[in-house]
Amino acid sequence: MNVNIVVLYHSSHGSVAAMANEIADAIENQGGTALLRTFVAKESHDIVITKDDLIACDALAFGTPTRFGMMASQAKVFWETTSDLWLKGQLIDKPACVFSSSSSMHGGNEATLLNLSLPLLHHGMMLLGVPYEVPELLATQTGGTPYGASHVAGAKNSAQLSKDEIKICQSVGQRLVKIARKLQ
């Protein structure tokens, strides 16, 4: 069965976009369809999210950089327009996960992941974390939490995704496909 999964993100310096691409690749490798969407088109290939994208998807991966332990304002502005979806219950029971990037190891990734979760929970979505069966979660010296995939970009936001961070992102995409198929 095909599943359509929206990978929705905002990226300031490229780290969150790299994570979104890893998640999307994992979705595609599992036979799902990944629909990369963003809040603001920075590049000519960027596609800006619509509420119809959310209504039509089978699952959602949602990520932004950390902004003082919270989601990027571009994401918050969008979620504040979705009350009509909430009133109609149009996202209820769709699986979802969250991902984030910060400059430092203690730069707010876990708080941001929890903050990203709030609109999804309000919409009745089923939040998926990263289970400890993913061995990289215990081994990582960079990003990765049970709340969702994360990345530590470094003080100059130049660090590439580590092997562990890539594996955790891939596990998130694989899990979304698995759960979305079970729910069909």
Side-chain angles (χ1 to χ4, degrees):
M1 287 182 266
N2 190 39
V3 290
N4 295 310
I5 300 176
V6 169
V7 181
L8 175 59
Y9 70 95
H10 174 71
S11 189
S12 297
H13 300 287
S15 295
V16 177
M19 295 175 76
N21 283 305
E22 290 294 339
I23 293 168
D25 288 347
I27 290 165
E28 297 281 336
N29 288 338
Q30 294 293 307
T33 300
L35 307 166
L36 282 164
R37 298 291 185 266
T38 189
F39 298 101
V40 179
K42 291 182 171 184
E43 305 289 333
S44 61
H45 64 273
D46 288 343
I47 301 172
V48 175
I49 187 72
T50 67
K51 290 189 273 185
D52 287 337
D53 291 328
L54 291 179
I55 294 166
C57 76
D58 297 306
L60 172 69
F62 167 41
T64 78
T66 182
R67 295 290 179 259
F68 303 104
M70 296 180 285
M71 72 178 74
S73 62
Q74 294 84 345
K76 188 172 185 307
V77 166
F78 172 77
W79 284 110
E80 288 180 358
T81 70
T82 63
S83 293
D84 56 328
L85 304 183
W86 175 77
L87 287 168
K88 296 175 186 172
Q90 291 180 293
L91 304 182
I92 292 174
D93 291 340
K94 292 184 183 205
C97 68
V98 292
F99 58 102
S100 184
S101 176
S102 66
S103 300
S104 67
M105 184 64 80
H106 303 290
N109 271 329
E110 288 188 345
T112 300
L113 293 168
L114 293 172
N115 181 256
L116 294 171
S117 302
L118 296 177
L120 310 182
L121 292 170
H122 273 272
H123 275 285
M125 300 184 88
M126 296 186 294
L127 191 61
L128 305 177
V130 179
Y132 278 96
E133 72 178 5
V134 177
E136 291 78 13
L137 195 56
L138 288 169
T140 185
Q141 296 295 304
T142 54
T145 79
Y147 309 126
S150 64
H151 169 63
V152 178
K156 296 184 180 185
N157 293 304
S158 60
Q160 301 297 309
L161 297 180
S162 72
K163 289 180 184 179
D164 288 338
E165 291 169 339
I166 289 169
K167 287 288 193 181
I168 293 168
C169 286
Q170 291 170 346
S171 75
V172 163
Q174 292 164 358
R175 189 160 190 231
L176 278 174
V177 172
K178 177 181 167 184
I179 300 303
R181 281 192 177 130
K182 284 184 177 184
L183 292 170
Q184 281 187 329

